Amino acid sequence: MPDQPSTEAPLTGAEPDLAHHGDAEATAGLIDLAVNVRRARPPAWLADPIAATLTDLARYPDPTPARAAVAGRHRRHPNEVLLTAGAAEGFVLIAQALRGVRRPVVVHPQFTEPEAALRAAGHTVDRVLLDPADDFRLDPSRVPADADLVMIGNPTNPTSVLHPAETVAALARPGRVLVVDEAFADTTIAAGHPGEPESLAGRRDLPGLVVVRSLTKTWGLAGLRIGYLLGAPELLSRLAAVQPLWAVSTPALAAASACASAVAVQAERAIAADLAADRDHLVARLSDLPGVRVVGRPASAFVLLHLPGATAIRAALRERGWAVRRGDTFPGLGPDWLRVAVRDRNTTDAFIDVLRETMEA
């Protein structure tokens, strides 16, 4: 298939630091609005099964029960599930297993690890940069027709944009692998929708679809490393072939089983509803600050801000004890962008007061 006119931004000498992540911002002693992991203690139905595995660590991990549990949650067959050491490992497996792709495309701004994994595996990556003036909405026609690997987040980190499922699904076609990062899908909610709006996790009709999921955000398990991929068995088998043996630990497998239960799904929906209320409060408070622009309608556990002079403001916030996420390490953003995690209302109110004082200083 001939190349179409490029819609991607050329790479320059001033490349964003794809290896920078929010944990680098949230150093000891700071109030953490830079990392999107929920900080609440795991409930007993999650903590107890994890703790119970600590008496049987001499046995090699057996992923079979956890894979079946995850498959049941998404109404899929177990061979359509590949458990991973966090979502990040999934991106590495994709990059390593699919070395034969000719034109991988990453839709930005989004989590930088997919592109970093591709580059580390020797791929030359094209970027499609979504427009902040259009609230970072996805236009499928901007993705080159000859792209045989497309990677996109939904909801997208750092923009907090939730693309319509059918818009994302329009990117699927024979001969293309479509990777949808749904690490934050369980944070989304919509009126009248009982589950995760716009998720493709249950779709089996889209050719080449791989959905990447994470259990570390809502349940505060970033240190445990647990996630999974959903897709066609023949495609997942290619990814599994490059995965190290016993990549997912026994405690992480126990967490996967617990988080796939009906109790967990019900709890997730309640947490997502509370998060939505806290997010609305954060957005409303931010709208009171002159010069601060919240992009679009945030849908996840974080909010993206455009704020002139954000680099200096971020540094001043650190001096006052607050950590927020810089935006200039995300392709398609720049130094006037910040990402702020949604926290409880008291924390938000205290942050807004400090941000206002910092902007006025």
Side-chain angles (χ1 to χ4, degrees):
M1 186 179 296
D3 285 354
Q4 292 188 340
S6 178
T7 58
E8 296 78 47
L11 302 185
T12 69
E15 274 294 284
D17 179 5
L18 301 180
H20 183 89
H21 298 294
D23 57 339
E25 313 265 2
T27 50
L30 299 181
I31 299 172
D32 176 18
L33 303 186
V35 176
N36 298 321
V37 174
R38 184 169 166 267
R39 297 292 185 174
R41 290 176 61 88
W45 56 259
L46 174 56
D48 290 350
I50 295 173
T53 67
L54 301 182
T55 62
D56 195 26
L57 295 182
R59 190 192 309 269
Y60 283 96
D62 177 9
T64 305
R67 188 166 55 232
V70 171
R73 169 178 178 166
H74 296 290
R75 294 182 173 85
R76 304 187 71 128
H77 191 275
N79 66 4
E80 297 174 311
V81 177
L82 178 62
L83 298 164
T84 59
E89 190 201 18
F91 301 128
V92 173
L93 299 181
I94 291 164
Q96 294 291 337
L98 304 182
R99 288 178 178 268
V101 297
R102 296 171 290 103
R103 193 176 188 186
V105 170
V106 179
V107 180
H108 283 290
Q110 75 149 310
F111 184 48
T112 55
E113 197 59 29
E115 179 172 329
L118 288 170
R119 294 188 179 281
H123 296 276
T124 299
V125 181
D126 285 335
R127 295 172 179 166
V128 170
L129 303 181
L130 302 184
D131 187 354
D134 194 32
D135 292 334
F136 297 109
R137 282 192 286 257
L138 172 65
D139 177 359
S141 69
R142 295 196 57 221
V143 175
D146 61 342
D148 50 356
L149 172 62
V150 177
M151 306 183 84
I152 185 171
N154 201 37
T156 305
N157 172 17
T159 65
S160 204
V161 170
L162 182 63
H163 304 294
E166 289 308 314
T167 302
V168 179
L171 294 172
R173 62 189 60 189
R176 170 186 288 175
V177 176
L178 171 61
V179 178
V180 183
D181 176 7
E182 291 192 0
F184 291 96
D186 61 356
T187 69
T188 62
I189 195 166
H193 194 292
E196 302 165 345
E198 317 307 343
S199 173
L200 297 180
R203 294 285 295 269
R204 307 174 72 188
D205 59 315
L206 299 175
L209 175 66
V210 177
V211 174
V212 182
R213 301 284 297 218
S214 171
L215 298 175
T216 65
K217 315 302 182 185
T218 291
W219 299 116
L221 299 177
L224 195 58
R225 310 309 307 140
I226 179 62
Y228 53 92
L229 308 179
L230 303 170
E234 58 273 18
L235 181 52
L236 292 191
S237 67
R238 294 175 63 187
L239 307 185
V242 299
Q243 187 177 38
L245 290 173
W246 309 296
V248 182
S249 71
T250 299
L253 293 172
S257 293
C259 291
S261 68
V263 170
V265 174
Q266 183 178 10
E268 274 181 5
R269 295 297 81 211
I271 291 169
D274 290 342
L275 174 68
D278 288 338
R279 184 176 59 241
D280 288 346
H281 181 72
L282 172 60
V283 171
R285 293 301 313 275
L286 287 167
S287 67
D288 292 335
L289 300 178
V292 176
R293 176 192 170 208
V294 177
V295 179
R297 184 178 180 183
S300 191
F302 44 88
V303 172
L304 183 65
L305 314 179
H306 185 263
L307 176 58
T311 299
I313 289 172
R314 180 174 63 87
L317 286 170
R318 290 184 67 82
E319 293 179 357
R320 294 169 179 249
W322 295 81
V324 296
R325 175 64 160 89
R326 62 192 290 188
D328 61 346
T329 64
F330 293 100
L333 301 183
D336 289 337
W337 295 90
L338 297 173
R339 191 192 70 194
V340 177
V342 177
R343 302 295 190 225
D344 64 87
R345 297 186 183 197
N346 289 337
T347 301
T348 289
D349 289 342
F351 169 67
I352 294 297
D353 290 342
V354 173
L355 178 58
R356 187 192 308 274
E357 293 168 4
T358 302
M359 293 171 61
E360 293 174 349

